[in-house]
mmCIF file with all atom_site columns, all heavy atoms in Angstrom:
data_model
loop_
_atom_site.group_PDB
_atom_site.id
_atom_site.type_symbol
_atom_site.label_atom_id
_atom_site.label_alt_id
_atom_site.label_comp_id
_atom_site.label_asym_id
_atom_site.label_entity_id
_atom_site.label_seq_id
_atom_site.pdbx_PDB_ins_code
_atom_site.Cartn_x
_atom_site.Cartn_y
_atom_site.Cartn_z
_atom_site.occupancy
_atom_site.B_iso_or_equiv
_atom_site.pdbx_formal_charge
_atom_site.auth_seq_id
_atom_site.auth_comp_id
_atom_site.auth_asym_id
_atom_site.auth_atom_id
_atom_site.pdbx_PDB_model_num
ATOM   1   N N   . PRO A 1 28  ? -13.637 7.323  1.610  1.00 98.00 ? 79  PRO A N   1
ATOM   2   C CA  . PRO A 1 28  ? -13.185 8.292  2.625  1.00 98.00 ? 79  PRO A CA  1
ATOM   3   C C   . PRO A 1 28  ? -13.552 7.819  4.029  1.00 98.00 ? 79  PRO A C   1
ATOM   4   O O   . PRO A 1 28  ? -14.672 7.299  4.267  1.00 98.00 ? 79  PRO A O   1
ATOM   5   C CB  . PRO A 1 28  ? -13.993 9.551  2.277  1.00 98.00 ? 79  PRO A CB  1
ATOM   6   C CG  . PRO A 1 28  ? -15.171 9.083  1.518  1.00 98.00 ? 79  PRO A CG  1
ATOM   7   C CD  . PRO A 1 28  ? -14.856 7.733  0.923  1.00 98.00 ? 79  PRO A CD  1
ATOM   8   N N   . THR A 1 29  ? -12.629 7.964  4.979  1.00 98.00 ? 80  THR A N   1
ATOM   9   C CA  . THR A 1 29  ? -12.901 7.603  6.367  1.00 98.00 ? 80  THR A CA  1
ATOM   10  C C   . THR A 1 29  ? -12.255 8.604  7.324  1.00 98.00 ? 80  THR A C   1
ATOM   11  O O   . THR A 1 29  ? -11.454 9.439  6.911  1.00 98.00 ? 80  THR A O   1
ATOM   12  C CB  . THR A 1 29  ? -12.308 6.211  6.757  1.00 98.00 ? 80  THR A CB  1
ATOM   13  O OG1 . THR A 1 29  ? -10.933 6.362  7.070  1.00 98.00 ? 80  THR A OG1 1
ATOM   14  C CG2 . THR A 1 29  ? -12.486 5.178  5.658  1.00 98.00 ? 80  THR A CG2 1
ATOM   15  N N   . MET A 1 30  ? -12.617 8.436  8.599  1.00 98.00 ? 81  MET A N   1
ATOM   16  C CA  . MET A 1 30  ? -11.963 9.254  9.651  1.00 98.00 ? 81  MET A CA  1
ATOM   17  C C   . MET A 1 30  ? -11.075 8.342  10.519 1.00 98.00 ? 81  MET A C   1
ATOM   18  O O   . MET A 1 30  ? -10.733 8.714  11.631 1.00 98.00 ? 81  MET A O   1
ATOM   19  C CB  . MET A 1 30  ? -13.006 9.955  10.485 1.00 98.00 ? 81  MET A CB  1
ATOM   20  C CG  . MET A 1 30  ? -13.838 10.935 9.644  1.00 98.00 ? 81  MET A CG  1
ATOM   21  S SD  . MET A 1 30  ? -14.569 12.271 10.580 1.00 98.00 ? 81  MET A SD  1
ATOM   22  C CE  . MET A 1 30  ? -15.634 11.383 11.658 1.00 98.00 ? 81  MET A CE  1
ATOM   23  N N   . HIS A 1 34  ? -12.788 -0.296 11.565 1.00 98.00 ? 85  HIS A N   1
ATOM   24  C CA  . HIS A 1 34  ? -13.386 -1.553 12.057 1.00 98.00 ? 85  HIS A CA  1
ATOM   25  C C   . HIS A 1 34  ? -13.910 -2.329 10.859 1.00 98.00 ? 85  HIS A C   1
ATOM   26  O O   . HIS A 1 34  ? -13.716 -1.899 9.702  1.00 98.00 ? 85  HIS A O   1
ATOM   27  C CB  . HIS A 1 34  ? -14.514 -1.251 13.062 1.00 98.00 ? 85  HIS A CB  1
ATOM   28  C CG  . HIS A 1 34  ? -15.505 -0.227 12.567 1.00 98.00 ? 85  HIS A CG  1
ATOM   29  N ND1 . HIS A 1 34  ? -16.341 -0.462 11.516 1.00 98.00 ? 85  HIS A ND1 1
ATOM   30  C CD2 . HIS A 1 34  ? -15.727 1.062  12.954 1.00 98.00 ? 85  HIS A CD2 1
ATOM   31  C CE1 . HIS A 1 34  ? -17.092 0.610  11.296 1.00 98.00 ? 85  HIS A CE1 1
ATOM   32  N NE2 . HIS A 1 34  ? -16.722 1.543  12.140 1.00 98.00 ? 85  HIS A NE2 1
ATOM   33  N N   . GLY A 1 36  ? -16.726 -2.609 9.547  1.00 98.00 ? 87  GLY A N   1
ATOM   34  C CA  . GLY A 1 36  ? -17.626 -1.877 8.668  1.00 98.00 ? 87  GLY A CA  1
ATOM   35  C C   . GLY A 1 36  ? -16.841 -1.163 7.573  1.00 98.00 ? 87  GLY A C   1
ATOM   36  O O   . GLY A 1 36  ? -17.158 -1.233 6.387  1.00 98.00 ? 87  GLY A O   1
ATOM   37  N N   . HIS A 1 37  ? -15.785 -0.461 7.986  1.00 98.00 ? 88  HIS A N   1
ATOM   38  C CA  . HIS A 1 37  ? -14.938 0.212  7.009  1.00 98.00 ? 88  HIS A CA  1
ATOM   39  C C   . HIS A 1 37  ? -14.338 -0.786 6.026  1.00 98.00 ? 88  HIS A C   1
ATOM   40  O O   . HIS A 1 37  ? -14.258 -0.542 4.835  1.00 98.00 ? 88  HIS A O   1
ATOM   41  C CB  . HIS A 1 37  ? -13.772 0.944  7.710  1.00 98.00 ? 88  HIS A CB  1
ATOM   42  C CG  . HIS A 1 37  ? -14.176 2.063  8.602  1.00 98.00 ? 88  HIS A CG  1
ATOM   43  N ND1 . HIS A 1 37  ? -14.084 1.984  9.988  1.00 98.00 ? 88  HIS A ND1 1
ATOM   44  C CD2 . HIS A 1 37  ? -14.665 3.289  8.351  1.00 98.00 ? 88  HIS A CD2 1
ATOM   45  C CE1 . HIS A 1 37  ? -14.478 3.120  10.509 1.00 98.00 ? 88  HIS A CE1 1
ATOM   46  N NE2 . HIS A 1 37  ? -14.847 3.930  9.551  1.00 98.00 ? 88  HIS A NE2 1
ATOM   47  N N   . VAL A 1 40  ? -16.540 -1.814 3.334  1.00 98.00 ? 91  VAL A N   1
ATOM   48  C CA  . VAL A 1 40  ? -16.652 -0.796 2.299  1.00 98.00 ? 91  VAL A CA  1
ATOM   49  C C   . VAL A 1 40  ? -15.436 -0.896 1.353  1.00 98.00 ? 91  VAL A C   1
ATOM   50  O O   . VAL A 1 40  ? -15.585 -0.841 0.119  1.00 98.00 ? 91  VAL A O   1
ATOM   51  C CB  . VAL A 1 40  ? -16.768 0.634  2.878  1.00 98.00 ? 91  VAL A CB  1
ATOM   52  C CG1 . VAL A 1 40  ? -16.979 1.665  1.793  1.00 98.00 ? 91  VAL A CG1 1
ATOM   53  C CG2 . VAL A 1 40  ? -17.921 0.712  3.898  1.00 98.00 ? 91  VAL A CG2 1
ATOM   54  N N   . TYR A 1 71  ? -12.357 11.903 19.524 1.00 92.00 ? 122 TYR A N   1
ATOM   55  C CA  . TYR A 1 71  ? -12.498 10.967 18.419 1.00 92.00 ? 122 TYR A CA  1
ATOM   56  C C   . TYR A 1 71  ? -11.304 10.004 18.446 1.00 92.00 ? 122 TYR A C   1
ATOM   57  O O   . TYR A 1 71  ? -10.167 10.412 18.476 1.00 92.00 ? 122 TYR A O   1
ATOM   58  C CB  . TYR A 1 71  ? -12.601 11.678 17.065 1.00 92.00 ? 122 TYR A CB  1
ATOM   59  C CG  . TYR A 1 71  ? -13.262 10.802 16.067 1.00 92.00 ? 122 TYR A CG  1
ATOM   60  C CD1 . TYR A 1 71  ? -14.649 10.681 16.010 1.00 92.00 ? 122 TYR A CD1 1
ATOM   61  C CD2 . TYR A 1 71  ? -12.522 9.996  15.204 1.00 92.00 ? 122 TYR A CD2 1
ATOM   62  C CE1 . TYR A 1 71  ? -15.252 9.815  15.121 1.00 92.00 ? 122 TYR A CE1 1
ATOM   63  C CE2 . TYR A 1 71  ? -13.134 9.130  14.314 1.00 92.00 ? 122 TYR A CE2 1
ATOM   64  C CZ  . TYR A 1 71  ? -14.496 9.039  14.288 1.00 92.00 ? 122 TYR A CZ  1
ATOM   65  O OH  . TYR A 1 71  ? -15.107 8.187  13.435 1.00 92.00 ? 122 TYR A OH  1
ATOM   66  N N   . MET A 1 148 ? -19.726 4.554  0.199  1.00 98.00 ? 199 MET A N   1
ATOM   67  C CA  . MET A 1 148 ? -19.988 5.012  1.561  1.00 98.00 ? 199 MET A CA  1
ATOM   68  C C   . MET A 1 148 ? -20.984 4.063  2.238  1.00 98.00 ? 199 MET A C   1
ATOM   69  O O   . MET A 1 148 ? -21.679 3.298  1.564  1.00 98.00 ? 199 MET A O   1
ATOM   70  C CB  . MET A 1 148 ? -20.490 6.455  1.556  1.00 98.00 ? 199 MET A CB  1
ATOM   71  C CG  . MET A 1 148 ? -19.445 7.377  0.953  1.00 98.00 ? 199 MET A CG  1
ATOM   72  S SD  . MET A 1 148 ? -19.869 9.129  0.963  1.00 98.00 ? 199 MET A SD  1
ATOM   73  C CE  . MET A 1 148 ? -19.346 9.573  2.605  1.00 98.00 ? 199 MET A CE  1
ATOM   74  N N   . GLY A 1 149 ? -21.045 4.106  3.576  1.00 98.00 ? 200 GLY A N   1
ATOM   75  C CA  . GLY A 1 149 ? -21.853 3.135  4.300  1.00 98.00 ? 200 GLY A CA  1
ATOM   76  C C   . GLY A 1 149 ? -23.285 3.595  4.545  1.00 98.00 ? 200 GLY A C   1
ATOM   77  O O   . GLY A 1 149 ? -23.537 4.764  4.836  1.00 98.00 ? 200 GLY A O   1
ATOM   78  N N   . LYS A 1 151 ? -24.881 2.999  7.080  1.00 98.00 ? 202 LYS A N   1
ATOM   79  C CA  . LYS A 1 151 ? -25.003 3.373  8.478  1.00 98.00 ? 202 LYS A CA  1
ATOM   80  C C   . LYS A 1 151 ? -25.204 4.902  8.598  1.00 98.00 ? 202 LYS A C   1
ATOM   81  O O   . LYS A 1 151 ? -25.940 5.367  9.465  1.00 98.00 ? 202 LYS A O   1
ATOM   82  C CB  . LYS A 1 151 ? -23.758 2.944  9.243  1.00 98.00 ? 202 LYS A CB  1
ATOM   83  C CG  . LYS A 1 151 ? -23.734 3.579  10.604 1.00 98.00 ? 202 LYS A CG  1
ATOM   84  C CD  . LYS A 1 151 ? -22.937 2.799  11.575 1.00 98.00 ? 202 LYS A CD  1
ATOM   85  C CE  . LYS A 1 151 ? -22.990 3.542  12.892 1.00 98.00 ? 202 LYS A CE  1
ATOM   86  N NZ  . LYS A 1 151 ? -22.375 4.874  12.787 1.00 98.00 ? 202 LYS A NZ  1
ATOM   87  N N   . ASP A 1 152 ? -24.563 5.636  7.709  1.00 98.00 ? 203 ASP A N   1
ATOM   88  C CA  . ASP A 1 152 ? -24.734 7.112  7.694  1.00 98.00 ? 203 ASP A CA  1
ATOM   89  C C   . ASP A 1 152 ? -25.637 7.446  6.516  1.00 98.00 ? 203 ASP A C   1
ATOM   90  O O   . ASP A 1 152 ? -25.193 8.040  5.520  1.00 98.00 ? 203 ASP A O   1
ATOM   91  C CB  . ASP A 1 152 ? -23.359 7.777  7.577  1.00 98.00 ? 203 ASP A CB  1
ATOM   92  C CG  . ASP A 1 152 ? -22.460 7.398  8.743  1.00 98.00 ? 203 ASP A CG  1
ATOM   93  O OD1 . ASP A 1 152 ? -22.621 7.994  9.823  1.00 98.00 ? 203 ASP A OD1 1
ATOM   94  O OD2 . ASP A 1 152 ? -21.612 6.500  8.586  1.00 98.00 ? 203 ASP A OD2 1
ATOM   95  N N   . PRO A 1 176 ? -24.126 -1.871 2.623  1.00 98.00 ? 227 PRO A N   1
ATOM   96  C CA  . PRO A 1 176 ? -24.948 -2.207 3.810  1.00 98.00 ? 227 PRO A CA  1
ATOM   97  C C   . PRO A 1 176 ? -24.154 -2.149 5.102  1.00 98.00 ? 227 PRO A C   1
ATOM   98  O O   . PRO A 1 176 ? -22.953 -2.413 5.120  1.00 98.00 ? 227 PRO A O   1
ATOM   99  C CB  . PRO A 1 176 ? -25.428 -3.631 3.522  1.00 98.00 ? 227 PRO A CB  1
ATOM   100 C CG  . PRO A 1 176 ? -25.267 -3.829 2.040  1.00 98.00 ? 227 PRO A CG  1
ATOM   101 C CD  . PRO A 1 176 ? -24.150 -2.930 1.607  1.00 98.00 ? 227 PRO A CD  1
ATOM   102 N N   . THR A 1 177 ? -24.881 -1.895 6.185  1.00 98.00 ? 228 THR A N   1
ATOM   103 C CA  . THR A 1 177 ? -24.247 -1.724 7.506  1.00 98.00 ? 228 THR A CA  1
ATOM   104 C C   . THR A 1 177 ? -23.732 -3.065 8.047  1.00 98.00 ? 228 THR A C   1
ATOM   105 O O   . THR A 1 177 ? -24.467 -4.059 8.043  1.00 98.00 ? 228 THR A O   1
ATOM   106 C CB  . THR A 1 177 ? -25.276 -1.151 8.482  1.00 98.00 ? 228 THR A CB  1
ATOM   107 O OG1 . THR A 1 177 ? -25.752 0.082  7.924  1.00 98.00 ? 228 THR A OG1 1
ATOM   108 C CG2 . THR A 1 177 ? -24.691 -0.905 9.856  1.00 98.00 ? 228 THR A CG2 1
ATOM   109 N N   . VAL A 1 178 ? -22.489 -3.052 8.536  1.00 98.00 ? 229 VAL A N   1
ATOM   110 C CA  . VAL A 1 178 ? -21.934 -4.246 9.191  1.00 98.00 ? 229 VAL A CA  1
ATOM   111 C C   . VAL A 1 178 ? -22.212 -4.127 10.690 1.00 98.00 ? 229 VAL A C   1
ATOM   112 O O   . VAL A 1 178 ? -22.016 -3.064 11.298 1.00 98.00 ? 229 VAL A O   1
ATOM   113 C CB  . VAL A 1 178 ? -20.409 -4.325 8.948  1.00 98.00 ? 229 VAL A CB  1
ATOM   114 C CG1 . VAL A 1 178 ? -19.810 -5.502 9.717  1.00 98.00 ? 229 VAL A CG1 1
ATOM   115 C CG2 . VAL A 1 178 ? -20.137 -4.484 7.454  1.00 98.00 ? 229 VAL A CG2 1
ATOM   116 N N   . GLN A 1 186 ? -21.524 -1.531 13.767 1.00 98.00 ? 237 GLN A N   1
ATOM   117 C CA  . GLN A 1 186 ? -20.116 -1.241 14.084 1.00 98.00 ? 237 GLN A CA  1
ATOM   118 C C   . GLN A 1 186 ? -19.897 0.270  13.901 1.00 98.00 ? 237 GLN A C   1
ATOM   119 O O   . GLN A 1 186 ? -20.386 0.895  12.962 1.00 98.00 ? 237 GLN A O   1
ATOM   120 C CB  . GLN A 1 186 ? -19.241 -2.008 13.123 1.00 98.00 ? 237 GLN A CB  1
ATOM   121 C CG  . GLN A 1 186 ? -19.353 -3.494 13.347 1.00 98.00 ? 237 GLN A CG  1
ATOM   122 C CD  . GLN A 1 186 ? -17.993 -4.164 13.401 1.00 98.00 ? 237 GLN A CD  1
ATOM   123 O OE1 . GLN A 1 186 ? -16.973 -3.591 13.070 1.00 98.00 ? 237 GLN A OE1 1
ATOM   124 N NE2 . GLN A 1 186 ? -18.001 -5.416 13.812 1.00 98.00 ? 237 GLN A NE2 1
HETATM 125 P P1  . LIG B 2 .   ? -16.304 7.232  9.232  1.00 50.45 ? 535 LIG B P1  1
HETATM 126 O O1  . LIG B 2 .   ? -14.870 6.846  9.440  1.00 50.45 ? 535 LIG B O1  1
HETATM 127 O O2  . LIG B 2 .   ? -17.171 7.057  10.407 1.00 50.45 ? 535 LIG B O2  1
HETATM 128 O O3  . LIG B 2 .   ? -16.430 8.588  8.564  1.00 50.45 ? 535 LIG B O3  1
HETATM 129 O O4  . LIG B 2 .   ? -16.866 6.187  8.168  1.00 50.45 ? 535 LIG B O4  1
HETATM 130 C C1  . LIG B 2 .   ? -16.279 6.013  6.907  1.00 50.45 ? 535 LIG B C1  1
HETATM 131 C C2  . LIG B 2 .   ? -17.200 5.262  5.992  1.00 50.45 ? 535 LIG B C2  1
HETATM 132 O O5  . LIG B 2 .   ? -17.466 3.967  6.549  1.00 50.45 ? 535 LIG B O5  1
HETATM 133 C C3  . LIG B 2 .   ? -18.544 5.970  5.887  1.00 50.45 ? 535 LIG B C3  1
HETATM 134 O O6  . LIG B 2 .   ? -18.986 5.881  4.536  1.00 50.45 ? 535 LIG B O6  1
HETATM 135 C C4  . LIG B 2 .   ? -19.436 5.189  6.811  1.00 50.45 ? 535 LIG B C4  1
HETATM 136 O O7  . LIG B 2 .   ? -20.799 5.229  6.469  1.00 50.45 ? 535 LIG B O7  1
HETATM 137 C C5  . LIG B 2 .   ? -18.871 3.774  6.627  1.00 50.45 ? 535 LIG B C5  1
HETATM 138 N N1  . LIG B 2 .   ? -19.224 2.952  7.787  1.00 50.45 ? 535 LIG B N1  1
HETATM 139 C C6  . LIG B 2 .   ? -19.081 3.272  9.103  1.00 50.45 ? 535 LIG B C6  1
HETATM 140 N N2  . LIG B 2 .   ? -19.562 2.291  9.892  1.00 50.45 ? 535 LIG B N2  1
HETATM 141 C C7  . LIG B 2 .   ? -20.027 1.331  9.049  1.00 50.45 ? 535 LIG B C7  1
HETATM 142 C C8  . LIG B 2 .   ? -20.647 0.056  9.258  1.00 50.45 ? 535 LIG B C8  1
HETATM 143 N N3  . LIG B 2 .   ? -20.890 -0.414 10.470 1.00 50.45 ? 535 LIG B N3  1
HETATM 144 N N4  . LIG B 2 .   ? -21.006 -0.666 8.153  1.00 50.45 ? 535 LIG B N4  1
HETATM 145 C C9  . LIG B 2 .   ? -20.774 -0.183 6.917  1.00 50.45 ? 535 LIG B C9  1
HETATM 146 N N5  . LIG B 2 .   ? -20.182 1.001  6.658  1.00 50.45 ? 535 LIG B N5  1
HETATM 147 C C10 . LIG B 2 .   ? -19.824 1.734  7.732  1.00 50.45 ? 535 LIG B C10 1
#
Side-chain angles (χ1 to χ4, degrees):
T80 82
M81 298 204 298
H85 50 67
H88 295 109
V91 184
Y122 202 82
M199 299 184 83
K202 168 155 180 298
D203 300 281
T228 303
V229 176
Q237 294 226 350

